[in-house]
Amino acid sequence: MRLLIGLLWLLSLSTPVSAQAIDSARRADGAPPEIPAALRGDYFYIRSDEIGRGYHIHVRYPEGYDPAAERTWPTVYLTDGDSLFPILAANHLFLHYDDGLPEALVVGIAYGGFDPSVNRRNIDFQSPGAGVEPSQAGAAAFQRFLKADLIPLIERRYRSDPTRRVLFGQSRGGAFVLYSAVTDPDLFWGRIASNPSLTPGVESLLATAAPAGQPDLGLVVVSGTRDRADLQAEAARWLSVWEARADKPWRLLGVRVEGGTHAADAPAAYRLGMNWLFGADPAP
């Protein structure tokens, strides 16, 4: 009998927690738990009539954010918000603590999933060039959406500093960062392209840059030494062309991350780029 009781007790330990038990762990008022404090902020959905699609917008508030106060905050816009927002928005708090990076609003531009039926980054980030069908080169339309729709809405709804906008993109998103830097320099004060994938469409990224009105714009291009060899070569070529040009409308920094891979080192690229743009001192 004792053996049977012992077996039943062990079985109870290995039985999965029931849905009822999970539900009982909710707050007393029946509401689901709040999101983690480092990601506390807002969410809304916005549709672009020109593009014919909508975007899920996640906004992370800086520590000490008060919508009624006069203070405004730098604002970072992240492409690929489905993956980059939860990583980089939360990590911004630690960069504020450890590196002295200014706190910021962080805006993740997301598709709501990775399935190609909803995630159209392959179009939105694609610049025009040889071998690119016009219907597939959506970078110009996506940039118009940012400029005409999203950014004005963010700056109406939140305490966003229009003189300190930053754009961050990874891979094809990094190529879009460069497209934006060349075609509309003043739209963002700072830009960070992490392991950009530039082909096809590199021709438009090497074209003459549009004139800029702001004198203190900054652009950072980060490459990992363990990224694909062809992508490293593309980024090196782009940097070599622009570093030699006197007509570039922004300060330009090229950075190599030793051991950095294509996607997993996005936080390292963000840290390096943001610290350079804001003049913060990264911790050793």
Side-chain angles (χ1 to χ4, degrees):
M1 186 66 176
R2 288 181 179 176
L3 178 60
L4 178 60
I5 294 173
L7 288 172
L8 291 172
W9 178 74
L10 288 173
L11 181 62
S12 70
L13 292 180
S14 62
T15 302
V17 179
S18 69
Q20 183 178 3
I22 292 173
D23 193 62
S24 68
R26 291 172 176 263
R27 289 175 10 196
D29 60 4
E34 291 185 359
I35 62 172
L39 289 175
R40 190 166 298 151
D42 199 8
Y43 161 84
F44 62 89
Y45 181 84
I46 181 173
R47 179 178 171 81
S48 166
D49 291 336
E50 178 185 358
I51 296 175
R53 291 182 273 109
Y55 299 88
H56 299 267
I57 307 301
H58 303 272
V59 181
R60 180 250 176 192
Y61 292 158
E63 191 174 51
Y65 180 74
D66 181 359
E70 289 298 316
R71 178 178 180 179
T72 58
W73 303 84
T75 305
V76 185
Y77 293 82
L78 304 174
T79 62
D80 286 315
D82 297 277
S83 53
L84 290 179
F85 178 78
I87 299 170
L88 300 182
N91 198 46
H92 193 105
L93 180 65
F94 290 140
L95 298 180
H96 173 62
Y97 288 163
D98 290 352
D99 294 355
L101 185 69
E103 262 285 28
L105 287 157
V106 182
V107 179
I109 308 164
Y111 294 94
F114 300 115
D115 190 281
S117 64
V118 296
N119 192 312
R120 307 309 296 273
R121 69 191 298 276
N122 59 310
I123 296 176
D124 289 343
F125 306 156
Q126 180 61 62
S127 56
V132 180
E133 293 292 330
S135 62
Q136 298 299 303
F142 184 66
Q143 182 160 264
R144 287 193 294 270
F145 159 70
L146 297 182
K147 186 173 184 176
D149 298 329
L150 180 60
I151 291 174
L153 181 58
I154 291 292
E155 293 176 357
R156 287 197 304 269
R157 291 181 61 160
Y158 308 103
R159 304 299 299 170
S160 173
D161 182 354
T163 70
R164 286 296 179 268
R165 301 177 194 140
V166 177
L167 177 65
F168 180 95
Q170 156 70 28
S171 189
R172 291 306 300 181
F176 175 75
V177 169
L178 301 184
Y179 174 84
S180 175
V182 171
T183 58
D184 195 348
D186 284 330
L187 185 56
F188 295 94
W189 166 77
R191 292 175 170 90
I192 306 167
S194 174
N195 290 312
S197 176
L198 308 183
T199 303
V202 69
E203 295 84 2
S204 56
L205 309 180
L206 296 172
T208 301
Q214 298 184 65
D216 61 342
L217 305 176
L219 171 60
V220 184
V221 181
V222 183
S223 290
T225 61
R226 289 180 55 207
D227 195 6
R228 281 171 31 192
D230 60 323
L231 299 188
Q232 293 184 57
E234 289 177 4
R237 177 196 172 204
W238 191 91
L239 280 165
S240 68
V241 169
W242 278 102
E243 285 170 346
R245 291 173 67 162
D247 62 341
K248 54 183 176 290
W250 5 258
R251 298 175 297 137
L252 177 60
L253 175 68
V255 182
R256 300 277 286 163
V257 176
E258 187 62 38
T261 56
H262 183 66
D265 282 279
Y270 186 89
R271 184 185 191 191
L272 287 164
M274 291 292 286
N275 281 327
W276 184 75
L277 290 170
F278 285 91
D281 291 325

